[in-house]
Amino acid sequence: VGTCERRVGNAGELPVPLAWLTDGIKDCIDGRDEEQMWPTCGVGKTRRFVTNNETCENVFICLSGTPGYVEMSDLCDGIETCGNENEVCSKSRNTHQPATSVLSYDKGLTKRLSFCLKGIYGLQPHNLTCMSKNFIFPDHEFYGVDTKTKLILPQSLQNCDFMYGEQYMYTSCTNSCINSPCPLKNFP
């Protein structure tokens, strides 16, 4: 911002900290730290002293309190500067839970995966097709367990890195993933 000879000490001309400007205390011998000549940025409650007049960055405006704003570089730093900053940060960073189930039909016995959904089947890339496959797990019979789930899924191998829940389980356990193993294990 500028320099001045300070009232305390004898180090000569030193930089003036922004916090000292117009704070009601004469820190410079000539009182220039209290003059209204220093570069500012913002209007009203976001008015603040800056090192130069070249840029004025956006700020988060506080509902109340002092200083009335938070610099964007200090936003979401975990320090409650304005009373609601951390709440706003937590809501803005709230991510939606990934989908973990697939669309089911026929009382849950038919499942459509990936782009093989009714209504968007025609939007799939032209070189990809869907196939029907029975999913039987475990691969041997237990008394009362004979459910065969029909899957309608892409015929080509899929990248399963960002699949979760049923989508991942059915795709990986039908060996339809490029690099992902089936999380289910058969026990004799």
Side-chain angles (χ1 to χ4, degrees), residues 104-111 147 149:
S104 299
Y105 305 91
D106 304 327
K107 297 181 183 177
L109 297 177
T110 301
K111 306 211 179 250
T147 305
T149 303

Side-chain angles (χ1 to χ4, degrees), residues 135-154:
F135 181 80
I136 303 168
F137 190 87
D139 64 2
H140 48 279
E141 289 188 27
F142 287 101
Y143 179 73
V145 179
D146 62 350
T147 305
K148 294 177 183 157
T149 303
K150 178 181 173 184
L151 301 177
I152 301 170
L153 67 161

Side-chain angles (χ1 to χ4, degrees), residues 55-180:
T55 62
C56 189
E57 300 292 327
N58 288 328
V59 293
F60 175 79
I61 298 176
C62 301
L63 293 175
S64 61
T66 302
Y69 64 91
V70 179
E71 299 280 350
M72 291 300 189
S73 60
D74 296 329
L75 192 61
C76 301
D77 59 1
I79 299 170
E80 193 65 71
T81 307
C82 341
N84 66 337
E85 169 190 355
N86 288 333
E87 181 182 349
V88 169
C89 291
S90 70
K91 288 191 186 296
S92 68
R93 291 183 174 169
N94 186 12
T95 57
H96 297 288
Q97 293 296 321
T100 58
S101 59
V102 296
L103 290 178
S104 299
Y105 305 91
D106 304 327
K107 297 181 183 177
L109 297 177
T110 301
K111 306 211 179 250
R112 292 183 170 269
L113 283 67
S114 189
F115 56 78
C116 299
L117 302 173
K118 288 182 179 179
I120 67 165
Y121 182 76
L123 298 176
Q124 72 189 17
H126 295 293
N127 59 342
L128 299 177
T129 57
C130 294
M131 66 177 176
S132 178
K133 189 181 230 182
N134 284 329
F135 181 80
I136 303 168
F137 190 87
D139 64 2
H140 48 279
E141 289 188 27
F142 287 101
Y143 179 73
V145 179
D146 62 350
T147 305
K148 294 177 183 157
T149 303
K150 178 181 173 184
L151 301 177
I152 301 170
L153 67 161
Q155 193 166 3
S156 60
L157 291 177
Q158 303 290 304
N159 178 352
C160 297
D161 289 347
F162 301 102
M163 290 184 186
Y164 303 94
E166 284 184 309
Q167 178 81 27
Y168 176 79
M169 192 262 310
Y170 287 124
T171 307
S172 65
C173 291
T174 54
N175 296 317
S176 298
C177 288
I178 295 170
N179 262 347
S180 301

Side-chain angles (χ1 to χ4, degrees), residues 13-31:
E13 292 274 322
L14 294 173
V16 179
L18 293 177
W20 289 7
L21 301 178
T22 65
D23 64 353
I25 300 169
K26 279 189 178 180
D27 299 293
C28 300
I29 289 176
D30 60 6

Side-chain angles (χ1 to χ4, degrees), residues 40-57:
T40 61
C41 182
V43 177
K45 65 193 253 179
T46 66
R47 184 177 182 270
R48 58 208 180 271
F49 292 101
V50 293
T51 55
N52 59 50
N53 280 326
E54 293 176 16
T55 62
C56 189
E57 300 292 327

